Amino acid sequence: AVGQLSLGPIVRVCGRKWALILAFACAGAATAAFGSFNSPIAMMLMWAVSGLFAAPASPLFAIVVGEAVPDKMRATVIGIWGSCENLGGAFANLVAAHVLSSHGWRAVFFASGPLVALWS
């Protein structure tokens, strides 16, 4: 919730597109960093940072996508995007399970974090 509440000031300063890029890049970097810590407190803090930046990504993406398509298509496009987001989450769990079983739990974060950051 804190990440979404901080969205207004960030968007005013950076604009929607750059706020979205910043959210994805920082969430990905924090996720990757999470896998490198051994201390439970450091891991907890890094996961909180990741969540802080991940929270505004979905609403920002909905705004950016909504503005990019004509009014007539907006509901359809947002619906398709929401469905794909859920399918992507399910697929990501399958990939994470494979990475976990073959390379260990840290590899899940080393693989997913940079992927999210690069996608931004």
Side-chain angles (χ1 to χ4, degrees):
V2 173
Q4 289 180 355
L5 290 174
S6 65
L7 190 57
I10 293 170
V11 168
R12 273 195 296 277
V13 171
C14 301
R16 289 179 181 120
K17 179 182 174 184
W18 285 106
L20 181 61
I21 291 169
L22 177 71
F24 273 111
C26 291
T31 299
F34 172 85
S36 66
F37 290 109
N38 291 320
S39 160
I41 292 173
M43 292 171 81
M44 179 182 67
L45 290 173
M46 198 51 55
W47 200 244
V49 169
S50 177
L52 180 71
F53 284 104
S58 189
L60 271 171
F61 198 73
I63 292 168
V64 170
V65 168
E67 291 176 343
V69 298
D71 291 345
K72 247 165 67 170
M73 295 178 56
R74 185 170 297 143
T76 302
V77 170
I78 295 293
I80 291 169
W81 163 68
S83 297
C84 290
E85 186 177 39
N86 290 328
L87 288 171
F91 180 71
N93 284 325
L94 294 173
V95 172
H98 173 71
V99 172
L100 177 66
S101 67
S102 60
H103 300 293
W105 70 269
R106 291 183 191 272
V108 173
F109 299 100
F110 293 146
S112 63
L115 184 64
V116 169
L118 289 173
W119 187 82
S120 66

